[in-house]
Structures are given as C-alpha cells and as structure tokens.
Amino acid sequence: MDMQATLVRSEDNESLVNRLRQDPGAMLQRYQVVRAFTEELCSPLATEDYVVQTMQDVSPTKWHLAHTTWFFETFVLSKFDSSYEPFHPRYAYLFNSYYVQAGERHCRDKRGYLSRPTVEEVYRYREYVDDRMKSFLQRIGSSEWQEAAPVIEIGLHHEQQHQELILTDIKHVLSVNPLRPVYRERAVEPPSVSIPLDWVPFEAGLYDIGHDEEGFAYDNEGPRHKYWVDNFLLANRLVTNGEFMEFIRDGGYERPELWLSMGWATVEEKKWKEPFYWEPSRNEGDYVLFTLSGERAVDPNEPVCHVSYYEADAYARWAGARLPTEQEWEVAAQQIAIDGNFVEDGHFHPVPADPSRSATLHQMYGDVWEWTRSQYSPYPRYKPVEGALGEYNGKFMCNQFVLRGGSCATSRTHIRPTYRNFFPPESCWQFTGIRLARDV
Amino acid sequence: MDMQATLVRSEDNESLVNRLRQDPGAMLQRYQVVRAFTEELCSPLATEDYVVQTMQDVSPTKWHLAHTTWFFETFVLSKFDSSYEPFHPRYAYLFNSYYVQAGERHCRDKRGYLSRPTVEEVYRYREYVDDRMKSFLQRIGSSEWQEAAPVIEIGLHHEQQHQELILTDIKHVLSVNPLRPVYRERAVEPPSVSIPLDWVPFEAGLYDIGHDEEGFAYDNEGPRHKYWVDNFLLANRLVTNGEFMEFIRDGGYERPELWLSMGWATVEEKKWKEPFYWEPSRNEGDYVLFTLSGERAVDPNEPVCHVSYYEADAYARWAGARLPTEQEWEVAAQQIAIDGNFVEDGHFHPVPADPSRSATLHQMYGDVWEWTRSQYSPYPRYKPVEGALGEYNGKFMCNQFVLRGGSCATSRTHIRPTYRNFFPPESCWQFTGIRLARDV
Amino acid sequence: MDMQATLVRSEDNESLVNRLRQDPGAMLQRYQVVRAFTEELCSPLATEDYVVQTMQDVSPTKWHLAHTTWFFETFVLSKFDSSYEPFHPRYAYLFNSYYVQAGERHCRDKRGYLSRPTVEEVYRYREYVDDRMKSFLQRIGSSEWQEAAPVIEIGLHHEQQHQELILTDIKHVLSVNPLRPVYRERAVEPPSVSIPLDWVPFEAGLYDIGHDEEGFAYDNEGPRHKYWVDNFLLANRLVTNGEFMEFIRDGGYERPELWLSMGWATVEEKKWKEPFYWEPSRNEGDYVLFTLSGERAVDPNEPVCHVSYYEADAYARWAGARLPTEQEWEVAAQQIAIDGNFVEDGHFHPVPADPSRSATLHQMYGDVWEWTRSQYSPYPRYKPVEGALGEYNGKFMCNQFVLRGGSCATSRTHIRPTYRNFFPPESCWQFTGIRLARDV
Amino acid sequence: MDMQATLVRSEDNESLVNRLRQDPGAMLQRYQVVRAFTEELCSPLATEDYVVQTMQDVSPTKWHLAHTTWFFETFVLSKFDSSYEPFHPRYAYLFNSYYVQAGERHCRDKRGYLSRPTVEEVYRYREYVDDRMKSFLQRIGSSEWQEAAPVIEIGLHHEQQHQELILTDIKHVLSVNPLRPVYRERAVEPPSVSIPLDWVPFEAGLYDIGHDEEGFAYDNEGPRHKYWVDNFLLANRLVTNGEFMEFIRDGGYERPELWLSMGWATVEEKKWKEPFYWEPSRNEGDYVLFTLSGERAVDPNEPVCHVSYYEADAYARWAGARLPTEQEWEVAAQQIAIDGNFVEDGHFHPVPADPSRSATLHQMYGDVWEWTRSQYSPYPRYKPVEGALGEYNGKFMCNQFVLRGGSCATSRTHIRPTYRNFFPPESCWQFTGIRLARDV
C-alpha cells in the first residue's frame, strides 16, 4: 500500500486551506481524497473486524465509517441542501457520538452490540452521502458556500481524526485476540539506530500562544494570547524503549514515590508492570510488543509508545526531568517544519530518530503524541463555536491532559504547531509517548 | 424453510437411540442430519450477526458453531482417532466453554471481542471436523465403537442444546438493535384462540422419579429413585399473556409481598415492569413484544414467555396457586406423548393451546420451558460421569431452578419426560413460561 | 461470666413452651430472662463497638438491640396495647429489618452510618419497652392473651436469633481491626482430643419429616410430611481442623474439579486459600485463627468452622463422601437428646468431640451449624403465617442452603431437631461446619 | 461557645509566623492553642459520632484526632527526640493517611470499621503526645530547633486543615441520619440581606503570582513567578442561593448544553437536581437545607454552598459569565485584608454579604471556598519538599481544581492570598461556592 501517493504532500497546510476555501471544486476533490483514504485504511480488514468493540474507548470500524458520514449528512446536507433525504431514519440516532444538541444517541459502550447495519450497508451509506455531497458541491451558490465551506472543512478534519481512531481501535481489537491477527505486514524494517539525548535551550519571554487564524484550526486552539514562559530545556528527541526499560529495571512500577497519587492507584488497580501492548518475553527482562504488523521484540531505539500520562510523568520524575508544558512545546514547535513519520508513511508505528537528519529537535511531529504537563483548559477569552459543533472541544475541558505533535497514525495535513489533542491521564491505547523537559 | 422435513419425526426417541447405538452408519447419518440442522438455523444470518455478544449469557453464533465442533474434536477425534490433527492449535483454547478438565479457556464474557476466526473459517472448521468424523465412523472397530458411541451421542444432544441457544442468543442480539432486524418472517399466523383454565388432579403416592436407563439421558436425570408426592392439581395449560396482563394491571410488579426477597430486589434494581421483550405500546395498558419474526402486539391467548423464576413465582402467588415441583411435573408427564410446538415447526415462538386437541394436559412439551419450584439438586445416589464430561451437569447444582418440557426452540428428538433443564432464577432470555399447580 | 446459670437448662423445650403459653406471668419471667441475656452478651463491649458495620451481612450491635425491641413494640404493644405510645416516631423506620408489610425502612447496608441514637438511648428504648411489656402482661385479658402469646413467643425466639447474630457480627467487627481486640478471654482451655471418624448406618424408609406442632416452631419447619429416605451413613462427628488441613495440603483450594462452578468462581474472585478467620502462621503450613477470645494456633482436633457451603461441598467431594440432606440429618437427630456446646457454655467457639461421652453421634447440636446439601425450599403444603410475620421465612426460599443443629452461639432453648437455618452458599461469618454422609 | 476568644485575632499571619520561628516557647503556646481548638470543636459530639464514616471522603472524627497526633509523633518526636517511645506500636499503621514514604497504612475506605482504639484512648494518645511535645520544646537545642521548627509549623497548619475536615465530615455524618441531629444550635441568626451584584475591573499585566516566602506557605504556593493576566471583571460578591434557584427554575439541571461532558454524566448518574444538602420542601419550588445547626429553609441571600465544580461551571455558563482563574483571583486578593466569616465566628455556615461594609469586593475570604477554572498544576520550577512531607501536595496535581479564599470552617490564621486548596470537580461536601468573572 503506497499511501504516500494518496494524499497531497507538497503543499503546506495554510495555502491548502486557503485554496479550498475559495473553490468548491477543489473542496470536492479534497473531500474525495480524504474519504477515499478512510476506506483505503479499512482495506485490510475482514467483515468481522468492523463489528467488534473491545472496550468503551474503542468504537467498531463500521461505526467510524458511518459516524463520519453522519457528520456530513447532519451538518452539511441536512442544513444546506433542502432536497436532501436521509439515507435511513434511524441512522441519526445510531451514529451521533456525543453532540447532545444534535439529538438523542445510541449508548457509546454498546456500539459493539449492533450487527446491523451490515458493513456493506454502511459502505452504501457512504456512497449515498458522497454522491449527494458531490452534486451539492457542484451546484452550490456563493452565499451557501460561505456558510457551508467551514463546516465541510471541519468535517474533513473530523474524518482525519477518525482515520487515526480507526487504526488505534483496530489495533486494540486485534491485540485482544489470542490468534494475534496482523493488520498489515511490515513492508520495510527501519534501521534500529539511535541518537544521543541532548537538551535544547529556550529563552524566557512573553510569547504569543495559540492559533493566529491563518488557515484551519479548531476553536480550542485560540484565541492567540500572551503567555510568559521561563527559560527551559527541551529534549532533542523522544524517550526510547531502551530508556524506558531502564526505568522498569530500576523498579519504576513498584515505587509509589515516583507517581502521582491517582497514577499509583491506577498502577495497583490495573497491575501495570510495563507499557500497554508490551508483554514480558520468554527471556527474563526482555519484552515483546504488539504492533499493527504483529508481535515482535521491543526495539530499544524506537520511541516508547502507548504510555499513559501517569507513566510519562513517573518516568520524567525518575529521570530527574519533567514533562514540558504545552506552551513550552509550542514555543519550540513554532520554529520547525511539519515533517515526520505520519500515517501516509505506512509504518503504523513510531520509528527511531534518524541520525542522518541534521536537526536540533527530532520527532516533534509524527511518531507519537507527546504528553504535556498541561491539563486541558480553555485559553483566555476562549469562546466555543455556536450550536452543536461547539460541543467539539470545550465540554471536555476537565480531567484531561494536552498532547502535542501528532503520531504515526495522524495525517500530515491534519497537524499544526497549535494543535491540542487531549486524553484522560490513564489513556494508553493511542500512540502516546514522552519528550522530556527541564528547568534551567 | 421447511424444517419439519429435515429431522426424523416418526420414530420415538428410545428406539432411535437403540438403533444408533448398534450401527455406526446410522450414527453417521444422524450426525450429518443434526449438524446440517445447526447450519440451517444460521442460514438467515448476516456475517455480522454471528459476531456479536450482547450480554454475558449470550454467545456469538460463530462461537456456538465452533464450540459444538470443538466438542467432537476434543472428546471424540482426539481421543479415539490416533491419526487426527487438530484444525488449529489455538481453537481448543478459544472454544472450550467451561470444561476445566479439558484445559484453559477464553473468558466467557469476552467472546464478543473476537473478530477472528472469521465466520468463513469457522465453517471450514466444521467441514474439516465433519469430514474426519465421517471417515472415522466409516472405519471404526467394534471396541472403539463401544467407547465412542456414548460420547458421540452426548455430542449430538449437546449440539441440539446449542441449536436452542443459537436461537435464544440471536433473538437477544437482534432485539437490542434499534433497527429491529427480523430473523425470519412469520410464515403462518396461528389462530388466536383459547381454552379455559382447568385443574387436573393427581393422586398421592410413592412414585419412581428419574430416568430408567432405557434410551439416552444426561447423568443428572438419574438414578431412578422413589419419591413421595402428595395429592396435587396441575393446570391443564400454560399461563397466557392475557392472564399475565391481569397480574400487571393488578400492580403485580409493585407489590413486594408477592415476591421472593431476592426477586423483589431484582425487580427494583432492574426496574422490571413487564416480561422481557415486552414494551408498553402507544395505547395505554397494551404491550408489544419482540419475536424472531419482529415486533408485534401481545396476543392475549399465547403463553406468556421470557419470564424469570421470580416472575413465575410471584404470578403463581398472586393467582392463589403455586408452581409445581419437578417431581409433580414428571408424574404428570409420564402419561403423555411427546408432542407440541418444537423448533422443527418453525414458529420460533409459543402458540396458543389448541382447543381442537382433546387432551387433558395441553402444551406440556414444547412452547415454553416450565419453571418448577424445585431448586436444581442431585438425585439420591447421583454420580457424575468420570472426566471432563462429568462437568456437564453436576457442578451447576447451586442457585438454579429446574425447568421441564422443552420449548419452541427445542428439537422434538431432544426432549424427554425426565429432562431437567436449569437456569438461575433471574434468567429470562430463554423461552420460559408458567404452568400452575395447587394443593388439594 | 457464668452464663449457664442464667437460663433454664433442666426443662425440655416442649414443656417449657406449654407452660409459657398458659401463663402470662411465666411468659413475663421468660421475657425478662431472654432480654437480660441479650444485654449480658453485650457487657464486654465498648460503646464504639456497638456502632460499627463492617460488611453488609453484619449489623451494628446497637441495631440488634433496638431491632429486637422494635419487634415487641410493633407486633405486640402497638397491636394489642391501645394505650401504647411509641418511644420515638422515627424508630419504626430505623429499626425495621425487612418486613415490607410493616412499612418503609432504613437501608440495610447503611446501618453503620448512624451514630444516633446513641447506645445509651438504645438502652433507654429497651427499658421503656420492657416496662410497657411488663405492665401489659400483668394486666392482659384472656382473649388478648390468645392472640398475643404466640407473637411474644416468636419475639423471644427472634431475640435469641439476634443474640447469635450479635456474637457473629461483633466477631467480624473485632476481627477486621488490626489491634485484634478480644471479646472475652478464654476461661478454660478445653482439652485437645479426638475421636476416630466412624460411619453410623440408617435404614431406608418413608419417614415423617418436619415439626409436629407440639411446642414452638417456625412456620418453615412444617407441615409434617412423608419423605422417602434411602439407606445412608452419617459421620459420627464433625470434620476437624486437622482433616481440613489435609484438604488444603492436597491442593483443595487449587483444584476446580472439586468445586461447584459458582464455588470455584468465588474461590478465584475472593482468593480463598483457607477458611474464613484463618491466616497462615509464620511456620510454613500452619495456621492461626481469630476467635472471640483472640488469635491462637489452629487446634487440629476442633471442628472446622466458618466454612461456606462451597467449601463444605468441595471438602466432602475430596473426602469421597457428600453432605447429608436435611431430611437425613433430621432422621438421625430425631433419636438424640438436645445437648452440646451452646452459647450458655461460654466457649463462643466449637470444641473437640468428647471421647468420654459414649454416644453414637457426637456434636449433632451446638458447636457449628451443619451445612446440608438441601437447598432451602418450602415443604409440601407450606403456608406462611398471614401478615408481616409471614415474611419471616418463606420469602427467602431461593439460593440458600439449609443448616441444622445450632452452634456454640445458639441458645440451648432455641434449637430443635426440625429447626431449619439457611444461608447463601458463600456465607462464612456464621459458626458453620461440616458433617459428612455417604451412600451405602 | 465563644470561639473567637480562643485564637489570636489581632496579629497578622506573617508576623505571627516570624515570632513563632524564633521562639520555642511561643511555638509551644501556639501548639497548645491549636491543639485545644481541635478538641473544642469536638465538644458537642457524642462518643458514637466520632466513629462513623459515611463515605470514602469522610473520615471518622476520632481518626482526625489521632491522625493529626500521629503527624507530630512521626515527623517531630520520632525524628528529633531520641528518647521518644511511641504510644502504641500499631498506631503508625492505623493513622497514616497517604504518606507512602512513612510506611504502610490502613485502607482509607475502612476507617469506619475500627471501633478501637476507643475515643477515650485516642484522647489519651493526644495527651501523651502533647506532653512529650511540651517537654521536647522546653528543652530543645538550637540546631534541632532549626530543623524541627518548620515541621512543627507544618504540623499546626495540618491540624487546622483537619479542624475544617472534622466539621465538614461530621456535617455529612449527621446529615445522613434520619434523626437529623444538630451539631450546635444557631446562636445568632444573621440578618438576611443582600447587596447588588457588581463587576470590579482589573487591568491586564504581567503579574507576580505565588508566595514570596515571607511567612508560612505550603510548597505548592511557590515559587513566585510571572504570569500574564488579561483585562477581566470580577463579581463583587458570591453567588447567592436566590440566584442559584433561578438557575434551577430555568432548567439548569436538565440542560446538557450548560455542562461539561463529565459534569453532565455526573448529573445523570447521581440524579442531581439541586445542591448537596438541599432538599425540595413541601412548598413547591422551595427548598430546605441541612446545616450544622439543623435543617432550615434556604435563605435566598446567603451564598450558595456545597456546589461541585461542575455546578459552579454550569451556573457561570448559564449566567453568561465564567469562573475566574486562580491567578485572577490572586491578583484581586492581593489588595484585600484577610477578613470574613471564619470558623472562629461560630456560624459554621456562610452568611449574606454585609451591606454596611464599604468594600469593593465582599466575601473574598471565609464563607465558602471559591472554585476557580484552574486545574491544579505545579507552578513553574515547583519542587516538592524532600521526603514524606513532599507528598503533601504535589502528588495530587491531577484531575483536581483549585479553590481559593477559605470558608466558614477555616481558621482565620490559616488562610492567605496565595493559598491553593484543591478538590476533584464532583466534590461537594466541603463548604464550596461560586464567584463569577467575565472577560472585558
């Protein structure tokens, strides 16, 4: 699967956005590319793989396929296309996720109970909506376009988020199966290399943080505002599996003084002894890990992945360092091109930092989402969008931590320096990792 | 689907059993008929329907298909056919249900997490084992036959039990789906009729209870033993929906004095207000119910179905009667031919008692399993079979109640007057109903 | 505490009952003796001990003191004494246990949340009701007496049941305290002796089972009815700690084939490795146990105690025997005088069988309640008493097993050969033990 | 109870601290005053009140009394007084709260299971430690003093925190009791008055936030650091019960769009319909509330109290405002004298803003802890204290929100402008309330 060819790579996100906003035809083309990529990601799956929900956080693949379609049906076609007839009267109920202002919805933790609609019916639903979107965009007038374009734009970013979730969720589904099915064989084995850990200094100052409204951003990335940041050091690369194994060997999972109180309670309750998807191998002290290409030995040079905030925080404390704040991360990222190991690269797993790349900061984008020490809060003067779409971000600003930079399951065109992802501190089924920071 | 034609009807169970025990060829033919009927029952399903587990009691259809196959693989082929190679090394782990002596097994409540093996692979597994069973039976020697025949016999009864479970489980899977899928349209609508409730007297005496070892029976049906039964009256038919609606209207679900203490706790915790699969209809005081042929209005003449022991017991108390003991039921059943509404009739739902049948007792077999007031205990001198098959029955003799007579999902060739089914008192996803008894 | 002196010993229960029924003065005296004994049992307690509830099954001592008083207030004084004024308007709500027909009640699992009424107030409540009962009985007319006498009789037996619960509950309260408080120092250490296990034969026959209505009995002990019992053997004494330790050493808690399915699930869930109140001692393979006289080494000659039905059943299976049915136990007990180690003996713990006693069956009464294999069901033609007192027994006939014979915490005047105690199979905080039976 | 007389009022906190740090005699006197006040707060309690734990957040009063004593025993006497012998060898286990570096500890949610030590023994324990502290402080050398003084200082603030918890916990204990006991009758009824809501403007700027190390502070209040604050408006007083009733009447508890996602889930799960300790009164639309002086009608002019973060946040959204950040609150508080309705005032409940006080901002200190929108995070360059005392604050920096200003249960000498209290967003058993803020 040469995914790189599928999506635009050469254009930067800001100019892409500007072009799309001015041209319904370009938007349609973009729509078709993004929607097709979702289906391309599903191509390795058996029908049965689309159905299963292995924990509450995980949704069945067919739900993702339908929910992203429901988004365009509900927020675009039903709003702006007066001739539109819904594909099925109950789908609005089945495939709403959490938009309370968009009506009642089926229980999240029971998505795996639904054998119908079948996968084939869901694909027909996609086809139906895609056809309607096409004819809608081909005949759209300019005043409708002003209103609809930003919603379609959100819909495409929403679809890209669910592309990432399809991968992380199907990884979980396959992982709990004793047969250990493979999503896709590893095409090329990246060399296992390493670069030394180094600390990059940043100067104190009153920085501008948040999105400047050029190009696309979610509402939670703004408004741009002043924020004082002290002098700090940021690690030049991600924490590796090898380093994390040192932490384990040093009793990291047995020493409560390294952990937040709730983190330690979680370690004890869930009996955590190593990162998620790791298992001790038959050789004492070694580990194997489950990937979308199957099970293999832990490579000490790869970034550690699938760690919770609690583990990231405990590791940092053990290492005599700390996690960066989201503002520190953004200050550093503002100076860096958006490049890295993304979903289009087809690894579906983080890879070691490349010593041949002459960069000050490695792996800032792609590979793994980087936990920050910042709890997810509104920026000053933050105002959610009006209506159901305003539920996208703001109502989750509680008991979650911010992650930055995207992962190997993120689309290159989906990430930005100001992008704020967020998960509860115990979450580890996403591709999440660690970059250290220190006070000067 | 003309299911009646599929299975032998004319031969009584005892002579069938004797014939099979003497002839491997007859046994093979029987094996093929029973196995084919399992697959016939699955023919209306979509691939996705095979995968889903909607509560712990429910297993995915593909699990039933594989587990019944595993039974023959484990207890017949692996034991008696030295040339046998298992189809897949991990299936023994995945498809063992609870036979601890047959090795480790996958968690019961996580059967719905397994997307693999696919449905197609499971059918290949069945085909593989069926082929091996065929060649094994075609060349079997007489000393092996002595040992293997009783196990195959159990295996076929085991498969018939799972045929019933496939129907009750898929009913639950379809029922929780807001799209309300239909398993099979109702072919013929039976007339809604009624016969008056009457009480049939039985004389006190020291009866012989339990199986006499002629023909097939599970170990828990014996040994045959003496049991004193007092004079009693038994209702001539099952309790109807109409009668049960009287109970509801009279506040049956709101009056703790009618209920066992644990029953009342269950009513309060689960907020029961009507039988399982019933819902209030738009007309005040009426109900609709979900069947394998979809949703329809409650027919007052049909037997009430999907009631728990708690509801059966409370109803009986409200009606000034009681449930029969299992010995009373068996005393009455000994005098009756095995006839009724079974799975082969293709209703997949209980039907009203037929006034044109001149019988003293109606509906004793088929339609619904009848709750007795007897808790499931070993008969005097009961000894479980040796080895893993000894786990079939004995180890569940705790906190369960005995049900008698089979249901509309039971095979005609599977039921006997001594047959003891058992479920916990809160269970209601089986086709379970009520026959009243009284002291004289 | 010379408890023996406190209660009548020389009179048999039947003649005691007859005498009380004829004489309000004798009943009053009896009332005062029983009520005083309750308070005598509480005399070793600190105020704080009366308040605590350490699990749902356990009630605070002050609740027991008040609830038994509420019984007389509600079912005697409020019913029969028109001049009676309740001590406090809210006590009816606080101290009703489960009599739904007697009105609403405070949540059982929150009894430990009530700091008020204080212990002193509860004793005042007792005094108040005792005074009113005294003057009521002193002036009672004969028609009232006919109605009230049976209720007072039940109230006294009810109080005796709660005397036993006070001891078992306070044992639990003290046991969870790391300070390991002692209820009462062991006065005399009984000699640690043993008698050999022997099997006593009983003949098959159609026996009369249940109470004959001479003397007092609960409604669940009748009506007397015929029951066929096969030949059987009954062990001449209880299973000892030493024998139970053999079971443990032989892997008894690690072998699922010895257990009922629900029993094994309980072993795994609760991580049972030895009987309740036992702990491994520092010497490998030995155990200490907690008693009302504190912690001490397990005496191999004492009856094993605080075992659940699951453990009793698994032990019997391991020993190549089984538990008796309740009818078998009653057949054997009909021939035996009511003697044994009761609460009045002041041991508060079972003692070894006495080799100097020339008896065929030892320890049938007192020491420990003996689990039978009989699930708790109504006898034929059983009718509960009318009204709230009818909730005493019948509504618990589900998911419980019958125990017979009383324990070291039972009053000598409280037990009978027909007495049916019952607890769920996982219960072990009562003084419960094992007597084996076998088929011939 | 004239509590005002008990504690120093005239001296400001900073000079008090300085004086104590220089003089062991003054420290001893202070120690005795604080310790005596704890016992004074307990004086209205019955013995039984000290024992009960009504939910996990609540600790029994006797546990508070012992735990605060354990603090001095463990961190002062055992560390600095080589002749010290612990009062009881198991108390270290029983009365450690969460200091993992100070050894194992008894389960938090089982504190209510301990009837022993008795209340009297706990008071003896206090006396014993107080005696040892006295003689230790009377003979202390100057080098020990340097080390010990800061720990004693923390111990006294720790004791004051537990004084507040004693009140909030005993309020809960009394409230769940259907007898509705009163802690202390309301001495004086404060007039029910009101002042109009007004908005006080503050200017944007780069402020210094956090403690400047003059006087006492917890480690989490520092280090002092720069923080940019935008222009904002702060309400001149707390939100009142009357205003909150408007929110309820406007469907506040039924409109998911007003709530954080986790807040709405909590509303649904716990069926919240009004603030904690409120109940609908018999007059439709009115409410009664439970206070430490018993139950009474809700006074519309009193500050709303016992609201969770979720309710505070939803109320603010409904009111078209928001909660302040903790930095905004601190900017405003820096200009205000520490005055208000504290525990020494003996109201044990918030009181209406006093219109006769000519202040810009009312009720900033005392009355109720004010929820801020700031999640509890470390300040830049925050370093916890070394050793077990470092567990005091830092390890809770996750899933909690910051509250500011103290309450009617807080000691006047315990509060500071930089003081950061923190609770999970669903907590409501503390005296917690709402002050609004707005963007300009």
Side-chain angles (χ1 to χ4, degrees), chain C residues 56-340:
Chain C
Q56 186 173 325
D57 287 327
V58 161
S59 294
T61 304
K62 72 175 174 127
W63 187 90
H64 287 298
L65 290 174
H67 167 69
T68 48
T69 304
W70 165 87
F71 190 102
F72 291 107
E73 183 174 67
T74 303
F75 297 118
V76 180
L77 294 171
S78 298
K79 282 269 170 57
F80 301 107
D81 180 353
S82 60
S83 70
Y84 182 74
E85 306 254 338
F87 180 72
H88 191 290
R90 295 297 277 158
Y91 282 15
Y93 175 80
L94 288 178
F95 299 123
N96 182 357
S97 51
Y98 55 75
Y99 300 84
V100 293
Q101 296 176 59
E104 300 233 336
R105 61 215 173 282
H106 188 252
C107 258
R108 178 174 185 168
D109 56 359
K110 294 183 178 166
R111 290 175 186 162
Y113 291 179
L114 300 182
S115 62
R116 314 288 179 92
T118 64
V119 173
E120 201 192 322
E121 285 162 339
V122 166
Y123 274 112
R124 277 211 300 277
Y125 177 38
R126 288 182 70 89
E127 203 182 340
Y128 177 88
V129 167
D130 288 351
D131 283 353
R132 297 305 180 283
M133 282 294 292
K134 183 177 174 185
S135 57
F136 170 66
L137 282 171
Q138 283 171 341
R139 63 167 202 269
I140 195 168
S142 83
S143 77
E144 272 169 319
W145 173 245
Q146 293 311 314
E147 276 193 84
V151 181
I152 299 170
E153 196 174 42
I154 289 180
L156 293 175
H157 282 274
H158 175 257
E159 179 113 10
Q160 287 185 313
Q161 286 186 294
H162 281 275
Q163 288 167 3
E164 178 151 359
L165 289 172
I166 284 171
L167 285 174
T168 54
D169 291 1
I170 205 71
K171 181 171 182 175
H172 193 261
V173 167
L174 300 179
S175 78
V176 304
N177 195 315
L179 301 177
R180 299 262 150 174
V182 167
Y183 168 73
R184 183 162 294 277
E185 296 293 345
R186 211 174 175 189
V188 190
E189 193 167 330
S192 178
V193 291
S194 189
I195 61 171
L197 181 64
D198 202 2
W199 297 95
V200 182
F202 291 85
E203 293 253 319
L206 194 60
Y207 286 89
D208 286 325
I209 296 293
H211 198 260
D212 61 5
E213 304 191 14
E214 296 299 314
F216 175 81
Y218 288 122
D219 61 9
N220 65 351
E221 299 172 48
R224 195 159 175 86
H225 60 283
K226 291 189 202 312
Y227 195 93
W228 179 267
V229 174
D230 273 351
N231 292 326
F232 71 99
L233 303 171
L234 194 65
N236 64 328
R237 60 157 172 76
L238 297 168
V239 171
T240 65
N241 286 333
E243 288 164 339
F244 202 86
M245 278 193 273
E246 289 297 318
F247 168 76
I248 299 177
R249 281 185 208 115
D250 197 35
Y253 283 95
E254 294 143 35
R255 292 166 52 187
E257 73 273 17
L258 296 173
W259 297 75
L260 287 168
S261 179
M262 290 181 68
W264 183 246
T266 308
V267 166
E268 289 201 312
E269 184 202 329
K270 305 204 174 176
K271 303 190 199 315
W272 280 352
K273 294 199 168 71
E274 61 269 323
F276 198 54
Y277 290 136
W278 288 33
E279 278 182 22
S281 81
R282 279 171 205 152
N283 301 326
E284 176 81 40
D286 282 356
Y287 294 90
V288 294
L289 87 177
F290 184 77
T291 74
L292 280 165
S293 305
E295 195 169 272
R296 56 177 164 81
V298 165
D299 177 342
N301 292 314
E302 275 175 16
V304 69
C305 188
H306 296 296
V307 288
S308 66
Y309 178 80
Y310 295 133
E311 287 160 302
D313 171 77
Y315 177 84
R317 190 166 292 114
W318 171 82
R322 60 171 175 82
L323 300 178
T325 64
E326 64 168 321
Q327 291 83 8
E328 289 169 340
W329 193 96
E330 190 169 324
V331 163
Q334 283 166 352
Q335 311 166 7
I336 307 230
I338 296 176
D339 198 10

Side-chain angles (χ1 to χ4, degrees), chain B residues 137-154:
Chain B
L137 281 170
Q138 283 171 339
R139 63 170 201 269
I140 196 167
S142 83
S143 75
E144 271 168 322
W145 174 246
Q146 293 310 315
E147 275 192 85
V151 181
I152 298 170
E153 197 174 42
I154 290 181

